[in-house]
Amino acid sequence: MDGMSRLSDAPLIAAATGHTPSRPPVWFMRQAGRSLPEYRKVREGISMLDSCFMPELLAEITLQPVRRHDVDGAILFSDIVVPLKAAGVGVEIVPGRGPVMDAPVRTTEDVDNLPILDVDVPEVRQGIEIILSELTDKQALIGFVGAPFTLASYLIEGGPSKNHERTKRSCIPIRRPGTSSWSA
């Protein structure tokens, strides 16, 4: 059975696809799980990003609010910089500050040295498989993505920025697909 037919009775999917759900769907935003005591217990001593790459822990954290409140949707536990870390960019989330890069990207050479993300991140895929095996046919899994500007700004600034001064001043070179030529 494919994912969509499995979710044919899911109120959240019905609402999201423009249909009339059997009842208004309910879910918690991802941050809501962070207030749960069970979340604080399983994350104790484990960094935010490391948690996102441990399939069982990723699933557990995602499913905690669903188990506790029987909501219609699980929000995938993740962070905007997971793709950067998965690609091999040195990044850590510093408490009280946010994502901090090991080395900012400021030159064409820095851009050339950026790793390419493999579309399959096994740890995340395995976590999602665990989550889907536990959700009912009336519950959906909700993911999110970050905007390219935000990720580029983290890379260029080296971390969070209120004004994105370096990012706005940057003329980030873009390699034309299939060529070695650059455009600004």
Side-chain angles (χ1 to χ4, degrees):
M1 175 183 302
D2 69 51
M4 285 309 290
S5 56
R6 179 182 89 76
L7 293 171
S8 60
D9 294 328
L12 189 61
I13 298 298
T17 57
H19 297 91
T20 303
S22 58
R23 60 179 171 66
V26 176
W27 71 96
F28 286 97
M29 295 305 293
R30 120 186 124 87
Q31 291 82 2
R34 295 179 183 186
S35 66
L36 299 177
E38 56 266 38
Y39 167 80
R40 290 191 298 274
K41 184 175 180 180
V42 299
R43 274 279 322 282
E44 194 172 325
I46 303 171
S47 77
M48 168 68 187
L49 279 177
D50 286 346
S51 300
C52 296
F53 289 91
M54 302 169 78
E56 293 81 14
L57 185 56
L58 167 66
E60 175 61 26
I61 292 169
T62 299
L63 290 165
Q64 285 176 347
V66 176
R67 289 187 199 121
R68 182 182 268 250
H69 302 291
D70 193 29
V71 291
D72 297 310
I75 307 292
L76 183 65
F77 180 76
S78 193
D79 188 85
I80 190 173
V81 296
V82 163
L84 296 178
K85 180 126 178 132
V89 171
V91 57
E92 287 302 325
I93 298 176
V94 176
R97 181 153 181 232
V100 176
M101 305 298 126
D102 287 351
V105 174
R106 305 245 169 94
T107 67
T108 300
E109 184 179 352
D110 293 339
V111 173
D112 284 339
N113 290 328
L114 282 172
I116 303 297
L117 175 64
D118 184 341
V119 294
D120 181 27
V121 180
E123 302 89 346
V124 175
R125 178 180 34 80
Q126 291 163 9
I128 290 171
E129 289 168 356
I130 295 167
I131 295 163
L132 292 176
S133 74
E134 191 164 323
L135 293 176
T136 71
D137 61 351
K138 295 187 184 282
Q139 294 170 318
L141 177 60
I142 304 166
F144 69 94
V145 297
F149 176 84
T150 304
L151 292 176
S153 183
Y154 283 146
L155 285 168
I156 294 165
E157 302 288 339
S161 171
K162 291 190 186 294
N163 299 317
H164 311 284
E165 294 301 324
R166 281 191 168 106
T167 305
K168 291 187 281 187
R169 283 193 317 260
S170 291
C171 180
I172 300 172
I174 300 169
R175 189 184 328 234
R176 293 191 181 113
T179 72
S180 60
S181 60
W182 292 87
S183 63

CSV table of all heavy atoms in Angstrom, one decimal, residues 15 20 35-37 39 65-66 73 81 83 89 94 100-101 106 112 117 121 123 127 130 137 144 159 161:
chain,number,residue,atom,x,y,z
A,15,ALA,N,-7.4,17.7,4.9
A,15,ALA,CA,-7.4,19.2,4.9
A,15,ALA,C,-6.3,19.8,4.0
A,15,ALA,O,-6.6,20.8,3.3
A,15,ALA,CB,-7.3,19.7,6.4
A,20,THR,N,-12.6,17.8,2.6
A,20,THR,CA,-13.2,18.1,3.8
A,20,THR,C,-12.9,16.9,4.8
A,20,THR,O,-13.3,15.8,4.6
A,20,THR,CB,-14.7,18.2,3.7
A,20,THR,OG1,-15.0,19.3,2.8
A,20,THR,CG2,-15.4,18.5,5.0
A,35,SER,N,8.9,20.7,25.4
A,35,SER,CA,8.5,21.0,26.8
A,35,SER,C,8.2,19.7,27.6
A,35,SER,O,8.0,19.8,28.8
A,35,SER,CB,7.3,21.9,26.8
A,35,SER,OG,6.2,21.2,26.2
A,36,LEU,N,8.1,18.6,26.9
A,36,LEU,CA,7.8,17.3,27.6
A,36,LEU,C,9.0,16.8,28.4
A,36,LEU,O,10.1,16.8,28.0
A,36,LEU,CB,7.4,16.3,26.6
A,36,LEU,CG,6.2,16.6,25.7
A,36,LEU,CD1,6.0,15.4,24.7
A,36,LEU,CD2,5.0,16.8,26.5
A,37,PRO,N,8.7,16.4,29.6
A,37,PRO,CA,9.8,15.8,30.5
A,37,PRO,C,10.4,14.6,29.8
A,37,PRO,O,11.7,14.4,30.0
A,37,PRO,CB,9.1,15.5,31.8
A,37,PRO,CG,7.6,15.5,31.5
A,37,PRO,CD,7.4,16.3,30.3
A,39,TYR,N,11.0,14.2,26.7
A,39,TYR,CA,11.9,14.8,25.7
A,39,TYR,C,13.2,15.2,26.4
A,39,TYR,O,14.3,14.8,25.9
A,39,TYR,CB,11.3,16.0,25.0
A,39,TYR,CG,12.3,16.8,24.2
A,39,TYR,CD1,12.7,16.3,22.9
A,39,TYR,CD2,12.9,17.9,24.7
A,39,TYR,CE1,13.6,17.0,22.2
A,39,TYR,CE2,13.9,18.6,23.9
A,39,TYR,CZ,14.2,18.1,22.7
A,39,TYR,OH,15.1,18.8,22.0
A,65,PRO,N,5.0,13.5,21.4
A,65,PRO,CA,3.8,14.3,21.5
A,65,PRO,C,2.6,13.5,20.9
A,65,PRO,O,1.5,13.7,21.4
A,65,PRO,CB,4.1,15.5,20.7
A,65,PRO,CG,5.5,15.6,20.6
A,65,PRO,CD,6.0,14.2,20.6
A,66,VAL,N,2.8,12.7,19.9
A,66,VAL,CA,1.7,11.9,19.3
A,66,VAL,C,1.2,10.9,20.3
A,66,VAL,O,0.0,10.7,20.5
A,66,VAL,CB,2.2,11.2,18.0
A,66,VAL,CG1,1.1,10.3,17.5
A,66,VAL,CG2,2.7,12.2,17.0
A,73,GLY,N,-1.1,14.5,13.6
A,73,GLY,CA,0.2,14.6,12.9
A,73,GLY,C,1.4,14.6,13.8
A,73,GLY,O,1.4,15.2,14.9
A,81,VAL,N,19.5,23.0,9.6
A,81,VAL,CA,20.9,22.7,9.2
A,81,VAL,C,21.2,21.2,9.0
A,81,VAL,O,22.4,20.9,8.7
A,81,VAL,CB,22.0,23.4,10.1
A,81,VAL,CG1,21.8,24.9,10.0
A,81,VAL,CG2,21.9,22.8,11.5
A,83,PRO,N,20.6,19.2,6.6
A,83,PRO,CA,21.2,18.9,5.3
A,83,PRO,C,22.7,19.3,5.2
A,83,PRO,O,23.5,18.6,4.6
A,83,PRO,CB,20.4,19.7,4.3
A,83,PRO,CG,19.1,19.9,4.9
A,83,PRO,CD,19.4,20.0,6.4
A,89,VAL,N,29.3,19.3,6.1
A,89,VAL,CA,29.7,20.7,6.5
A,89,VAL,C,29.8,20.7,8.0
A,89,VAL,O,29.0,20.1,8.7
A,89,VAL,CB,28.6,21.7,6.1
A,89,VAL,CG1,28.9,23.1,6.7
A,89,VAL,CG2,28.6,21.8,4.6
A,94,VAL,N,24.9,25.7,18.9
A,94,VAL,CA,25.4,26.2,20.1
A,94,VAL,C,24.2,26.7,21.0
A,94,VAL,O,23.5,27.6,20.5
A,94,VAL,CB,26.5,27.3,19.9
A,94,VAL,CG1,26.9,27.8,21.2
A,94,VAL,CG2,27.6,26.7,19.1
A,100,VAL,N,26.3,27.2,14.3
A,100,VAL,CA,27.6,27.8,14.1
A,100,VAL,C,28.4,26.9,13.2
A,100,VAL,O,28.6,25.7,13.4
A,100,VAL,CB,28.3,28.1,15.4
A,100,VAL,CG1,29.7,28.7,15.2
A,100,VAL,CG2,27.5,29.0,16.3
A,101,MET,N,29.0,27.5,12.1
A,101,MET,CA,29.8,26.8,11.1
A,101,MET,C,31.2,26.7,11.6
A,101,MET,O,31.8,27.7,12.2
A,101,MET,CB,29.8,27.5,9.8
A,101,MET,CG,28.4,27.8,9.1
A,101,MET,SD,27.5,26.3,8.8
A,101,MET,CE,26.0,26.7,9.7
A,106,ARG,N,33.3,32.0,2.2
A,106,ARG,CA,33.4,33.4,1.8
A,106,ARG,C,34.1,33.6,0.4
A,106,ARG,O,34.1,34.7,-0.1
A,106,ARG,CB,34.3,34.2,2.9
A,106,ARG,CG,33.7,34.0,4.3
A,106,ARG,CD,33.2,35.4,4.8
A,106,ARG,NE,32.4,35.2,6.0
A,106,ARG,CZ,32.9,35.3,7.2
A,106,ARG,NH1,34.2,35.5,7.5
A,106,ARG,NH2,32.1,35.2,8.3
A,112,ASP,N,33.7,26.0,-3.9
A,112,ASP,CA,34.2,24.8,-4.6
A,112,ASP,C,34.4,23.6,-3.6
A,112,ASP,O,34.2,22.4,-4.0
A,112,ASP,CB,35.5,25.0,-5.3
A,112,ASP,CG,35.4,25.8,-6.6
A,112,ASP,OD1,34.2,25.8,-7.2
A,112,ASP,OD2,36.3,26.4,-7.1
A,117,LEU,N,25.4,17.0,-1.0
A,117,LEU,CA,24.6,16.2,-0.2
A,117,LEU,C,24.0,15.0,-1.0
A,117,LEU,O,23.5,15.2,-2.1
A,117,LEU,CB,23.4,17.0,0.3
A,117,LEU,CG,22.3,16.2,1.1
A,117,LEU,CD1,22.9,15.6,2.4
A,117,LEU,CD2,21.1,17.1,1.4
A,121,VAL,N,19.9,10.2,3.2
A,121,VAL,CA,20.6,10.3,4.4
A,121,VAL,C,20.0,9.1,5.3
A,121,VAL,O,18.9,9.2,5.8
A,121,VAL,CB,20.3,11.6,5.1
A,121,VAL,CG1,21.0,11.7,6.5
A,121,VAL,CG2,20.7,12.8,4.2
A,123,GLU,N,20.4,7.7,8.1
A,123,GLU,CA,19.9,7.8,9.5
A,123,GLU,C,18.5,8.4,9.6
A,123,GLU,O,17.7,8.0,10.3
A,123,GLU,CB,20.9,8.6,10.3
A,123,GLU,CG,22.3,8.1,10.4
A,123,GLU,CD,23.2,8.6,9.2
A,123,GLU,OE1,22.7,9.2,8.3
A,123,GLU,OE2,24.4,8.4,9.4
A,127,GLY,N,15.0,6.6,10.6
A,127,GLY,CA,14.1,7.2,11.6
A,127,GLY,C,12.7,7.4,11.1
A,127,GLY,O,11.7,7.1,11.8
A,130,ILE,N,10.8,4.1,11.1
A,130,ILE,CA,10.3,3.7,12.4
A,130,ILE,C,9.1,4.5,12.8
A,130,ILE,O,8.1,3.9,13.3
A,130,ILE,CB,11.4,4.0,13.5
A,130,ILE,CG1,12.6,3.0,13.2
A,130,ILE,CG2,10.9,3.8,14.9
A,130,ILE,CD1,13.9,3.4,14.0
A,137,ASP,N,-3.2,4.8,10.5
A,137,ASP,CA,-3.6,5.3,9.1
A,137,ASP,C,-4.4,6.6,9.2
A,137,ASP,O,-4.7,7.2,8.2
A,137,ASP,CB,-4.5,4.2,8.4
A,137,ASP,CG,-5.8,3.9,9.1
A,137,ASP,OD1,-6.0,4.3,10.3
A,137,ASP,OD2,-6.6,3.1,8.5
A,144,PHE,N,9.6,19.5,7.3
A,144,PHE,CA,9.7,20.9,7.0
A,144,PHE,C,11.1,21.0,6.3
A,144,PHE,O,12.0,20.2,6.4
A,144,PHE,CB,9.6,21.8,8.2
A,144,PHE,CG,10.7,21.7,9.2
A,144,PHE,CD1,11.8,22.5,9.1
A,144,PHE,CD2,10.7,20.7,10.2
A,144,PHE,CE1,12.8,22.4,10.1
A,144,PHE,CE2,11.7,20.6,11.1
A,144,PHE,CZ,12.8,21.4,11.0
A,159,GLY,N,27.2,31.7,11.1
A,159,GLY,CA,26.2,31.4,12.2
A,159,GLY,C,25.1,32.4,12.0
A,159,GLY,O,24.9,33.1,11.0
A,161,SER,N,22.7,35.6,12.2
A,161,SER,CA,22.9,37.0,12.0
A,161,SER,C,21.6,37.8,12.0
A,161,SER,O,20.6,37.3,11.4
A,161,SER,CB,23.6,37.2,10.6
A,161,SER,OG,23.7,38.6,10.3
